[in-house]
Amino acid sequence: MTSRPALTDALRAERAHHDDCRTALAAMIEGAAEQVVIGEDVSASGADAEVLGYQLRSQAKALRELPPGPLFFGRLDFARDHPEHGGLPFHLGRLRITERPAAPPLVVDWRAPVSRAFYQASARDPQGVAVRRRFGWAPGSTGETADLTGFEDEHLGDGAEPPGAGPSEDGSGVGAGALRPDGIVARELERPRVGPMRDIAATIQPEQDDLVRAALADSVCVQGAPGTGKTAVGLHRAAYLLYTHPKRLQRAGLLILGPNRTFLAYISEVLPALGESGVRQSTLLDEIARHPVTGTDPVPTAALKHDPRMAEVLRRALYAHVGTDGVSDLAVPDGSYRWRVRAAELAAIVREVRAEEPPYAVGRERVRTRVVRRLRALAERRTGVLPAAWVRRMEHARPLTAQLDLVWPKVRPEEVLAQLLTDKEVLARSARGLLEPGEQEALLWARPPRSFKSARWSAADLVLLDELSGLIEHPESYGHIVVDEAQDLSPMECRAIARRAVFGSLTVLGDLAQGTAPWAARDWSAQLRHLGRPDAAVVSLTTGFRVPAAVVGLANRLLARLEVAVPPARSLRADGELTLHPAEDVLATTVAAARRALTREGSVGVIAADPDVPAVARALTDAGLDPAAPDALGARLTLVPASVAKGLEYDHVIAVEPAAVAEAEARGAHRLYVVLTRAVSRLDVVHGRPLPF
């Protein structure tokens, strides 16, 4: 073990290195701005200047917008006999920092191949690493060098102990062997999750790293228990893919889909902190919304609209517009001559194209092209080879367009859906053998609008409109899509995502135990089939870092009621408190629990079944604990209906009457599982009735 003076010298050296990194980063930012001007000036053409200027401006903007923070979090010292990096040290951070492009980097990007050993090396498999060092920074550090408070080393190989190895400057480091539970990593994992979501580049675990570094072509599904970092894994995979395939994903695009805008705001700082800005983060509703949501559906009707049978109903309704009834001979004037295509031949072309099942709009143009090809063959027998201008004139000839409008008319998704939901006969034809008469009746609008332009579209209608739009013309495909809370997607919503990933891959994140939507998935195989990725690997993350072990143990007792194949979770959080409060007066006990919770630091969330929220709100307000008050007390205390608790986190949670939460909806047990796992430090369970687990 190294003496105290040597350790102080080592920490001083690491702080000096951080100062060098800050200076180099400032120079990189200044140099990027200069390159924008130089690059645009020396480009060979205006087009080159525009492309290069855009690339350089994007790089400069990304550097300028990097959130403040420590510039490195770890270091690898490779053994002297390593074939590539023998005896070399590498500091790891969220982006590469170098004094000159050709000079060795002061900091290596965490996504670089050499960095993988930081996450994967172990005493059993050191991967050539002699020492892995982790740095401790003051909580909330903005990157001031003085915030570097210490480090701890793991000796994985048999190489000589580097200068400064041993206990950390703050006394919590370790020598050879595994980290102690109170080490830097453990403290980082146990730090309360308040404010926006943080990146986990410093604490990625080996099983998470395998998922993060999966190949771009691979679609993966992560079944993650609460607090296992599945969302962070998805975001870090996005950052990794952008680093390893920048040109391809810049061209094809990368999309992050979250369940709601509150969730997107919560995760919004992760990718910029990892050096990736400009990534589209959206909800599926925002992606498919052709109209504002102004209508609502009863739950059974909404569930029916989300049913996969609706895909075939819509396909039939759309292609019912294609037909050859009433078709006549086509005569197209060409000067003093008329070129003719017989009705039977035109009908054959329509049937031939229809059998090929192209997108509806493509099919219409395919019919046009084949008819013109026939006209050209007739004309060239008489006049010889014809110019392209003649072909374009024939393509837009009025008689041809009129025949197309008859056999393959242009349609809009809104027209097709409005007709389907207002005309019983159209719906009956389209749904024959698929939907029961009662189901058809449930789909019909109670008050048909005067036109589709005045329709009050529901959220479920927008999903149907997107399906029709995809049948008419395929949407643009992304190179990669990260989908979070995927267990709550309906089959029709999954199809909407699949259409946008035809030529790309997916990272699917979710927890079947937290599925609360009426159509929530019960197994991943069906969900992946609807997403167009039936062969995607399903990987379970069961080790949590957010929810304390006592809380996880309580939530695990609910799993048997959820009818989903989910392995029990476990937690590395040894801290945390769980208290059960049997009560004759549930409201009074809830108020008392809230008072006690507010004597301690952190946020407090009181979560109750939706019908019970007004009574709980009155009890808290009458006791002087108004959750809506703007003062410091009210800002720390939040009353949350159970239906909106998903994705929220509080230092202290008071779960009010779990039995009422479980009974409030069809998937109430799943909702209760969500409620219990919102606590990051302490959980009080107040109940006057027997607990439903």
Side-chain angles (χ1 to χ4, degrees), residues 72-74 94 110 118-119 134-135 185 188 199-205 236 274:
F72 54 76
F73 54 77
R94 289 162 179 82
W110 67 275
F118 184 80
Y119 303 108
R134 301 179 190 270
F135 294 98
V185 173
E188 174 64 19
D199 70 83
I200 60 166
T203 59
I204 292 173
Q205 303 300 295
H236 284 68
L274 297 172

Side-chain angles (χ1 to χ4, degrees), residues 116-141:
R116 185 163 199 187
F118 184 80
Y119 303 108
Q120 295 286 348
S122 64
R124 185 171 298 176
D125 179 20
Q127 301 187 13
V129 176
V131 180
R132 172 169 51 203
R133 175 170 292 180
R134 301 179 190 270
F135 294 98
W137 293 85
S141 172

Side-chain angles (χ1 to χ4, degrees), residues 303-367:
L304 184 57
K305 290 179 178 180
H306 283 280
D307 191 288
R309 293 175 294 169
M310 288 301 299
E312 178 60 18
V313 173
L314 294 172
R315 190 192 67 81
R316 292 179 184 178
L318 174 63
Y319 282 97
H321 292 80
V322 176
T324 56
D325 293 343
V327 67
S328 58
D329 291 353
L330 171 64
V332 182
D334 182 17
S336 61
Y337 204 84
R338 288 178 180 269
W339 307 111
R340 294 182 181 275
V341 177
R342 298 297 179 187
E345 191 174 2
L346 180 57
I349 290 174
V350 172
R351 288 193 295 268
E352 177 185 81
V353 173
R354 178 69 184 84
E356 295 168 1
E357 297 188 353
Y360 187 92
V362 173
R364 174 182 164 93
E365 294 310 307
R366 199 171 286 180
V367 170

Side-chain angles (χ1 to χ4, degrees), residues 177-471:
L179 291 173
R180 291 211 314 261
D182 60 345
I184 286 175
V185 173
R187 290 200 305 277
E188 174 64 19
L189 293 176
E190 293 179 1
R191 189 148 54 98
R193 266 60 173 173
V194 293
M197 183 178 181
R198 305 188 304 268
D199 70 83
I200 60 166
T203 59
I204 292 173
Q205 303 300 295
E207 65 275 15
Q208 295 174 323
D209 186 63
D210 290 335
L211 294 166
V212 167
R213 296 176 191 264
L216 174 59
D218 295 343
S219 290
V220 297
C221 174
V222 182
Q223 159 58 43
T228 55
K230 56 184 177 293
T231 297
V233 165
L235 294 172
H236 284 68
R237 187 183 184 204
Y240 174 78
L241 293 177
L242 289 165
Y243 174 85
T244 51
H245 305 279
K247 292 183 179 178
R248 183 172 175 182
L249 287 179
Q250 186 179 47
R251 181 173 62 251
L254 190 146
L255 174 65
I256 308 292
L257 283 179
N260 51 60
R261 292 179 182 176
T262 301
F263 175 86
L264 294 175
Y266 175 62
I267 68 172
S268 62
E269 295 185 13
V270 175
L271 286 174
L274 297 172
E276 300 296 345
S277 58
V279 177
R280 182 167 177 77
Q281 301 186 33
S282 184
T283 67
L284 180 59
L285 186 61
D286 287 338
E287 289 296 298
I288 68 174
R290 298 170 61 92
H291 303 279
V293 175
T294 55
T296 57
D297 289 314
V299 172
T301 301
L304 184 57
K305 290 179 178 180
H306 283 280
D307 191 288
R309 293 175 294 169
M310 288 301 299
E312 178 60 18
V313 173
L314 294 172
R315 190 192 67 81
R316 292 179 184 178
L318 174 63
Y319 282 97
H321 292 80
V322 176
T324 56
D325 293 343
V327 67
S328 58
D329 291 353
L330 171 64
V332 182
D334 182 17
S336 61
Y337 204 84
R338 288 178 180 269
W339 307 111
R340 294 182 181 275
V341 177
R342 298 297 179 187
E345 191 174 2
L346 180 57
I349 290 174
V350 172
R351 288 193 295 268
E352 177 185 81
V353 173
R354 178 69 184 84
E356 295 168 1
E357 297 188 353
Y360 187 92
V362 173
R364 174 182 164 93
E365 294 310 307
R366 199 171 286 180
V367 170
R368 185 196 301 273
T369 298
R370 293 183 188 182
V371 172
V372 170
R373 186 185 304 158
R374 176 62 179 150
L375 294 171
R376 184 174 186 176
L378 293 171
E380 287 185 343
R381 289 178 193 168
R382 180 182 178 92
T383 63
V385 177
L386 293 166
W390 184 94
V391 173
R392 289 193 295 270
R393 184 158 49 86
M394 288 296 105
E395 286 175 342
H396 296 92
R398 288 186 179 180
L400 174 54
T401 300
Q403 283 283 23
L404 272 177
D405 289 340
L406 176 65
V407 300
W408 205 299
K410 284 185 177 180
V411 294
R412 296 184 58 180
E414 292 83 354
E415 295 169 333
V416 177
L417 185 59
Q419 185 184 40
L420 184 72
L421 300 182
T422 57
D423 191 318
K424 288 185 177 182
E425 292 185 3
V426 171
L427 178 56
R429 286 196 302 268
S430 301
R432 184 176 294 117
L434 294 171
L435 302 180
E436 298 296 327
E439 293 176 314
Q440 296 177 31
E441 190 67 29
L443 285 176
L444 290 169
W445 279 336
R447 295 182 179 179
R450 283 175 293 190
S451 72
F452 74 85
K453 294 181 180 178
S454 62
R456 294 174 60 83
W457 302 107
S458 68
D461 290 334
L462 297 187
V463 178
L464 301 182
L465 288 173
D466 191 74
E467 180 76 22
L468 283 166
S469 180
L471 288 169

